[in-house]
Amino acid sequence: MKKKLVVALISAAMVTSMLGACGSNNASSSSASSTATSSVSASSASEEDTTAASSSVSASSASEEVSADADQEAADKVADLIDAIYVQERNDNTDEQCKEAKEAWDALTDAQKELVEGENADPDYFGRDTGDASKDDPLNGDEIGENELLVVSFGTSFNDSRAEDIGGVEKALQAAYPDWSVRRAFTAQIIINHVQARDDEKIDNVDQALERAVSNGVKNLIIQPTHLMHGAEYDELKEAVDGYKDKFESVTIAEPLLGEVGSDATVINEDKQAVAEAITAQAVKSANYDSLDAAAEDGTAFVFMGHGTSHTAKVTYSQMQTQMDTLGYKNVFIGTVEGEPEETACENVIEAVKAAGYKKVILRPLMVVAGDHANNDMAGEDEDSWKSQFEASGAFDEIDTQIEGLGRIDAVEQLYVQHTKAAMDGNGVQDDAE
């Protein structure tokens, strides 16, 4: 009996012990399960945060790409509009095209403007500061009267140069001949469109100016070109005027600045001498030398850079070098942007100046207007500018530039006045109506 009770008690104790152990194991398992669940939840939350952040970055990148595409699209539209007016022929839509191009440019942000690039378009088309256009007079008014003096120039989009260089010649002619109405025409429609689009200044082309003269009842028309020589531009002007001969009682085209061309490089004339003396004197003055000889003693050479041409009139540049030599201007050299004639190419001029032993060089345009060629091809910072090429040669200690057109030199202006007087007297290049 006692034995059975003892066994029962022992069994009961064992069961209780086993139940306790079982309960303890269940609690541990529950705790582990809870910890694992928390860990999974935290991991899931972390993955969700990472996914959300990644989605945010992707959305931001996509937004930036869309914005960049929109910027480029806006810039490309303006470039196309600029290229559409960068043409040499005026059409029925030119005025509207110029207006549309400027309005589209004004609507761009500064960042978008920097993206403008086309066949001829770039940010400088509208963005470059070339001076105050309001200081220039386009001389396109009516009420001309019977006598008109039409001053024809290639033109420039550089506002200050247009006012000082072309305007200088026009003002000198008006002062000399107050009884004649001075009007302006440009031969470069590309420049006319540029100035109109950017500055809302309307300049007549040759046909417009001639039509204006006809509609105003002009009887006597004198045309004074500001061209240097009897080159391609002068020939085109004569052809344009031929179609209007019967519209006036008399039409006369005056001589260009340097007069007759001559047969070869040795032929010079009074006009070339007058221009050579005038431009050299001004260059010496602008460089703060007392004389050309004083500049030479200081090791300074002056290089006048013209445009150059494939026209037969290119010999004029060689004649100007002959003229400088004849005057004893040994430290004066003539060059051209186009390198025609060959001896006027930049590399050849550099060698000539170097061989003569000069260590300082002053570059100055042999052009009526100090426009794009003077500012960029001559004095620009690009490696192919004349200034850069002279510096890169390593042969000179100092290179300076004078950005002044011939049209602002009083002696040059007076030479144009003389040519106009000769035309009025019947001694110029005649295109008189029968």
Side-chain angles (χ1 to χ4, degrees):
M1 186 72 183
K2 289 182 180 178
K3 186 177 180 179
K4 289 182 178 180
L5 179 60
V6 172
V7 171
L9 291 172
I10 292 171
S11 297
M14 291 176 66
V15 170
T16 301
S17 177
M18 290 176 67
L19 288 173
C22 185
S24 177
N25 289 339
N26 285 342
S28 298
S29 177
S30 175
S31 176
S33 176
S34 175
T35 301
T37 301
S38 298
S39 177
V40 169
S41 298
S43 176
S44 298
S46 177
E47 289 176 1
E48 288 176 1
D49 290 344
T50 300
T51 301
S54 178
S55 297
S56 177
V57 170
S58 297
S60 177
S61 298
S63 177
E64 290 176 0
E65 288 180 7
V66 170
S67 177
D69 289 343
D71 287 345
Q72 190 62 62
E73 183 178 353
D76 289 345
K77 177 184 176 182
V78 172
D80 289 341
L81 292 171
I82 291 174
D83 284 341
I85 59 176
Y86 200 95
V87 293
Q88 190 55 21
E89 295 293 333
R90 179 179 171 81
N91 60 62
D92 293 338
N93 300 317
T94 294
D95 292 338
E96 291 76 13
Q97 288 177 314
C98 289
K99 183 173 183 290
E100 183 182 7
K102 183 57 161 59
E103 288 177 346
W105 167 266
D106 289 341
L108 297 180
T109 65
D110 289 343
Q112 289 171 335
K113 289 174 180 177
E114 292 301 317
L115 298 175
V116 173
E117 184 175 355
E119 184 177 352
N120 295 293
D122 59 43
D124 282 346
Y125 188 86
F126 284 122
R128 184 169 188 169
D129 182 9
T130 66
D132 185 357
S134 67
K135 295 180 179 179
D136 183 47
D137 186 350
L139 295 175
N140 59 358
D142 293 316
E143 300 181 3
I144 299 173
E146 294 185 353
N147 300 316
E148 178 182 347
L149 176 50
L150 180 61
V151 183
V152 178
S153 305
F154 178 82
T156 180
S157 62
F158 281 71
N159 292 330
D160 284 345
S161 296
R162 190 168 63 256
E164 291 189 57
D165 298 331
I166 295 175
V169 175
E170 293 165 343
K171 289 181 178 69
L173 290 169
Q174 187 62 83
Y177 307 110
D179 295 333
W180 289 67
S181 295
V182 174
R183 294 293 182 269
R184 170 191 289 178
F186 282 1
T187 59
Q189 188 67 45
I190 290 171
I191 290 174
I192 293 172
N193 291 352
H194 190 164
V195 175
Q196 180 175 336
R198 186 189 62 197
D199 304 312
D200 197 28
E201 177 180 334
K202 296 183 178 180
I203 299 170
D204 286 345
N205 61 30
V206 174
D207 283 334
Q208 287 176 307
L210 292 173
E211 287 293 342
R212 189 184 299 279
V214 172
S215 64
N216 275 263
V218 171
K219 293 182 179 180
N220 303 303
L221 179 64
I222 299 289
I223 299 173
Q224 177 61 67
T226 63
H227 306 135
L228 283 182
M229 63 191 73
H230 287 270
E233 288 284 327
Y234 190 88
D235 291 345
E236 290 172 8
L237 173 62
K238 290 185 67 177
E239 290 178 9
V241 173
D242 281 344
Y244 287 84
K245 279 185 176 181
D246 60 349
K247 306 293 185 181
F248 308 99
E249 292 183 8
S250 68
V251 181
T252 306
I253 302 178
E255 282 285 332
L257 184 61
L258 299 177
E260 289 294 337
V261 175
S263 58
D264 58 52
T266 65
V267 179
I268 53 180
N269 58 32
E270 292 181 359
D271 289 334
K272 292 180 177 66
Q273 178 176 339
V275 171
E277 292 173 342
I279 64 178
T280 302
Q282 186 60 48
V284 169
K285 180 180 179 181
S286 295
N288 295 316
Y289 285 110
D290 293 332
S291 66
L292 185 61
D293 288 339
E297 290 174 6
D298 192 39
T300 299
F302 294 90
V303 175
F304 291 93
M305 186 197 77
H307 186 278
T309 178
S310 59
H311 191 279
T312 55
K314 66 183 179 182
V315 70
T316 301
Y317 293 106
S318 302
Q319 292 167 349
M320 282 300 292
Q321 185 64 68
T322 299
Q323 182 65 74
M324 295 296 183
D325 295 340
T326 301
L327 288 168
Y329 296 172
K330 300 303 182 184
N331 56 331
V332 178
F333 301 83
I334 304 296
T336 67
V337 177
E338 299 294 332
E340 292 190 82
E342 185 178 352
E343 69 269 17
T344 62
C346 186
E347 61 271 19
N348 293 331
V349 176
I350 288 174
E351 288 303 316
V353 178
K354 183 166 61 174
Y358 298 104
K359 286 299 186 179
K360 299 179 183 178
V361 177
I362 295 176
L363 302 171
R364 186 181 174 97
L366 181 60
M367 302 175 182
V368 174
V369 179
D372 184 68
H373 288 303
N375 285 273
N376 295 325
D377 295 318
M378 186 187 80
E381 296 302 320
D382 290 345
E383 63 180 15
D384 60 347
S385 76
W386 279 50
K387 178 175 180 288
S388 295
Q389 290 184 66
F390 268 81
E391 289 173 341
S393 72
F396 310 103
D397 298 332
E398 187 177 321
I399 309 295
D400 290 323
T401 60
Q402 296 177 353
I403 306 180
E404 302 172 8
L406 308 186
R408 68 185 69 183
I409 301 174
D410 182 67
V412 171
E413 294 170 358
Q414 294 309 309
L415 191 55
Y416 280 119
V417 169
Q418 293 172 26
H419 287 182
T420 298
K421 181 64 165 60
M424 288 179 177
D425 291 343
N427 296 322
V429 178
Q430 295 295 316
D431 274 334
D432 291 343
E434 293 296 327

